[in-house]
Amino acid sequence: MDYAALVQRIRDWGRSLGFQAVGIADADLAAAEPRLLEWLAQGRHGEMEYMARHGALRARPAELKPGTLRVISCRLDYAAGGSDREPGDGPAAYIARYARGRDYHRVLRARLQRLCDRIEDEVGSFGYRVFTDSAPVMEVELAVRAGIGWRGKHTLLLDRTGSWFFLGEVYTDLPLPPDVPAEEHCGSCSRCIDVCPTQAIVAPYQLDARRCISYLTIEHKSAIPEELRPLIGNRVYGCDDCQLICPWNRFAQPSDEADFQPRHGLDRATMLELFGWTQAEFDERLAGSPIRRIGYERWLRNLAVGLGNAPGTPEVLAALRARADHPSALVREHVQWALSRHEALAA
């Protein structure tokens, strides 16, 4: 088998399936394991117990999928075209770009599986397993080693056309020739660190998830720390600040993938509008959306914080008071905080 020629065909098949980049990484992540374990030991994963539960397994692909020699790393762009509202403290709801359309997991997994089917047609049966943020995988580390991009100082993957993309992986026992790791091109720029509302990027390439708005509004299950609530502004699901400020994202190309286009006006909705949704409306309108995974209770929690940071109009105050006796203690706590904040500001 001419594996170098096979890699080229894999790239061609990947492009035909809509991937913007396909690279091959060696499966030896021993050098990355100490950094992972130190991050966990510092507790920077917050309430993401699954990170600690799997521990070093993330850095050991051959233990996750026995026989793994290489990892095929694939990139799929998601940035929608058109103008984008700015995050801040106004009445508009800011939802992270990646979450405005359909859940990317199914789209990405289906394409990765089709890629594996093409490989199997070529080489016959081979060992592989497809991953789309569905198992303990160090996807950024693998993508760097696969030459797809470099790790930015915000810890996300970057290349010369920005960072608005998803990553997916195929662990395989094929001895494919690996690509050369990408070179870094952040230089002395520190805009992503400086712009972070909660200063979650504690140093270049170091993120404390416990302060990250994406973590707080998505992964964090309990009450949001009170001292961080004013800093969240109108970011009710995720946060894009470190990507919006990145100079490389000026060169990002909009995706024409229909599933990634905004649905139900999530790119222009107000917090009042979203806060008014019933449980049934939440379930119906966010069916097939990554947002639905946080559930209605945390959705209201996030919006209550956002409304606490919004201008204290009569409409905002009335909406908060209407939820003051909500059955959920979590929702009630954040609604009361928002009302108290407006009372203090008005005094």
Side-chain angles (χ1 to χ4, degrees):
M1 173 67 67
D2 184 344
Y3 287 106
L6 176 60
V7 167
Q8 186 54 54
R9 288 196 290 277
I10 290 172
R11 294 193 212 281
D12 293 340
W13 296 331
R15 281 193 291 269
S16 70
L17 289 169
F19 291 117
Q20 280 67 48
V22 177
I24 311 299
D26 189 281
D28 182 3
L29 300 180
E33 185 173 321
R35 296 195 302 273
L36 170 63
L37 296 179
E38 180 182 5
W39 184 76
L40 291 169
Q42 292 171 335
R44 290 181 173 176
H45 58 295
E47 289 185 358
M48 295 184 287
E49 296 90 353
Y50 61 88
M51 298 287 293
R53 184 167 63 249
H54 296 303
L57 185 61
R58 292 179 179 273
R60 301 174 184 180
E63 292 186 16
L64 184 59
K65 170 59 179 173
T68 296
L69 296 175
R70 300 289 186 267
V71 177
I72 304 172
S73 179
C74 301
R75 162 190 163 182
L76 186 61
D77 290 3
Y78 68 80
S83 60
D84 191 15
R85 63 176 29 153
E86 293 294 322
D89 299 321
Y94 191 88
I95 293 173
R97 284 185 176 187
Y98 87 88
R100 297 173 188 174
R102 293 188 180 276
D103 195 334
Y104 67 92
H105 293 89
R106 291 184 179 181
V107 178
L108 188 51
R109 175 174 286 275
R111 295 194 186 189
L112 290 170
Q113 185 57 56
R114 287 164 62 190
L115 178 60
C116 292
D117 293 341
R118 295 291 298 272
I119 298 172
E120 198 161 47
D121 290 342
E122 179 80 9
V123 306
S125 180
F126 72 105
Y128 72 90
R129 183 176 171 185
V130 168
F131 297 102
T132 55
D133 198 24
S134 54
V137 173
M138 297 185 74
E139 62 176 18
V140 173
E141 183 71 24
L142 289 165
V144 171
R145 290 168 179 263
I148 288 181
W150 69 91
R151 187 185 293 273
K153 293 178 183 178
H154 47 25
T155 75
L156 303 174
L157 193 74
L158 269 174
D159 85 346
R160 293 178 184 272
T161 56
S163 58
W164 305 111
F165 50 76
F166 302 120
L167 295 171
E169 299 78 34
V170 177
Y171 281 24
T172 178
D173 60 2
L174 295 173
L176 304 170
D179 286 299
V180 176
E183 294 183 3
E184 182 181 317
H185 296 284
C186 285
S188 60
C189 180
S190 62
R191 295 185 193 182
C192 60
I193 299 174
D194 300 335
V195 80
C196 180
T198 57
Q199 293 299 286
I201 309 170
V202 295
Y205 318 107
Q206 295 184 40
L207 177 75
D208 189 339
R210 295 168 296 185
R211 298 187 63 84
C212 176
I213 293 175
S214 286
Y215 164 80
L216 291 169
T217 57
I218 300 173
E219 300 290 346
H220 191 67
K221 297 180 177 64
S222 52
I224 294 173
E226 192 164 336
E227 68 274 14
L228 297 179
R229 295 176 194 175
L231 306 178
I232 289 176
N234 67 343
R235 302 163 187 84
V236 299
Y237 187 92
C239 179
D240 288 330
D241 286 43
C242 62
Q243 298 189 81
L244 290 168
I245 199 69
C246 179
W248 288 111
N249 272 318
R250 291 179 299 182
F251 306 104
Q253 298 299 310
S255 169
D256 58 4
E257 174 57 55
D259 281 337
F260 298 157
Q261 303 310 306
R263 303 168 67 219
H264 301 295
L266 291 179
D267 58 333
R268 58 182 186 276
T270 66
M271 288 187 286
L272 273 176
E273 175 188 347
L274 300 180
F275 196 59
W277 284 3
T278 64
Q279 172 85 60
E281 288 171 326
F282 173 85
D283 291 338
E284 177 186 355
R285 296 174 185 177
L286 297 182
S289 164
I291 299 174
R292 194 173 178 186
R293 67 185 286 257
I294 69 170
Y296 185 59
E297 183 183 36
R298 280 191 275 163
W299 174 249
L300 292 180
R301 175 199 65 181
N302 295 349
L303 284 161
V305 171
L307 289 172
N309 295 323
T313 63
E315 294 79 11
V316 165
L317 296 176
L320 288 167
R321 289 176 184 134
R323 299 279 192 190
D325 295 323
H326 193 275
S328 164
L330 183 68
V331 174
R332 291 198 306 273
E333 176 187 342
H334 291 77
V335 166
Q336 185 55 54
W337 172 84
L339 288 169
S340 298
R341 178 168 165 78
H342 283 299
E343 290 171 2
L345 291 172

